[in-house]
């Protein structure tokens, strides 16, 4: 439901970038406000650094019995291989000129990493220049 809410919030300003949400309802062991912040940072970056007519797909689901995942994949500009190890650092921006025009501070992905680690999760980044980026966050499942 958080992923759907974030996609609904971003659609009016996404231009011709289309947002999709898919997967099965699941619950992570994370505060709702932190989860919303995490999803918003990932999805807004995916929109901001996309291409005209691009797509952003937010997928959620059960990773294992005691883990859930959230994946944000885009068809955007991608991240150069040499920058991928640094994108979760505070104030790091791949393209400083483009980030200033797009309004980036270099904090969004650092916040994502901080929240993920705080709640015992892991991050995985896959990206190719000109093809897009996929960030997967895996978190402990909520205890029922």
């Amino acid at each position: 439901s958080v992923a759907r809410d974030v996609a609904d919030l971003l659609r009016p300003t996404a231009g011709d970038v289309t947002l999709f949400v898919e997967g099965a309802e699941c619950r992570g062991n994370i505060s709702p406000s932190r989860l919303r912040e995490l999803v918003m940072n990932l999805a807004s970056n995916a929109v901001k650094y996309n291409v005209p007519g691009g797509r952003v797909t937010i997928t959620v689901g059960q990773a294992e019995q005691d883990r859930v995942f959230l994946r944000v994949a885009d068809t955007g500009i991608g991240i150069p291989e040499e920058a991928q190890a640094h994108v979760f650092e505070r104030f790091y921006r791949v393209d400083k000129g483009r980030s200033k025009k797009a309004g980036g501070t270099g904090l969004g992905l650092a916040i994502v990493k901080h929240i993920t680690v705080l709640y015992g999760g892991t991050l995985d980044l896959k990206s190719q220049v000109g093809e897009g980026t996929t960030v997967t966050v895996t978190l402990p499942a909520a205890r029922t």
Side-chain angles (χ1 to χ4, degrees), residues 84-143:
Q84 291 178 23
H86 303 287
V87 294
F88 294 104
E89 296 171 5
R90 291 182 336 152
F91 305 114
Y92 184 82
R93 292 189 269 178
V94 174
D95 179 348
K96 286 144 183 61
R98 179 178 166 96
S99 294
K100 280 190 175 184
K101 287 181 217 156
T105 62
L107 288 174
L109 292 179
I111 291 168
V112 166
K113 180 179 180 181
H114 176 76
I115 292 170
T116 302
V117 171
L118 181 66
Y119 285 92
T122 59
L123 273 169
D124 180 61
L125 170 85
K126 292 188 178 8
S127 188
Q128 192 151 354
V129 172
E131 292 187 21
T133 300
T134 300
V135 178
T136 304
V137 176
T138 304
L139 295 164
R143 297 177 188 97

Side-chain angles (χ1 to χ4, degrees), residues 56-102:
V56 173
T57 304
I58 305 170
T59 308
V60 296
Q62 197 79 29
E64 301 164 19
Q65 185 173 348
D66 61 344
R67 312 278 295 170
V68 295
F69 74 90
L70 166 89
R71 180 175 301 120
V72 178
D74 68 58
T75 57
I77 62 173
I79 302 167
E81 189 172 339
E82 63 275 8
Q84 291 178 23
H86 303 287
V87 294
F88 294 104
E89 296 171 5
R90 291 182 336 152
F91 305 114
Y92 184 82
R93 292 189 269 178
V94 174
D95 179 348
K96 286 144 183 61
R98 179 178 166 96
S99 294
K100 280 190 175 184
K101 287 181 217 156

Side-chain angles (χ1 to χ4, degrees), residues 39-53:
V39 177
M40 182 60 85
N41 276 311
L42 289 174
S44 62
N45 270 3
V47 168
K48 190 183 303 182
Y49 297 104
N50 217 309
V51 295

Side-chain angles (χ1 to χ4, degrees), residues 2-17:
V2 171
R4 281 191 303 271
D5 290 348
V6 167
D8 289 345
L9 278 171
L10 291 175
R11 278 188 185 102
T13 58
D16 63 350
V17 174

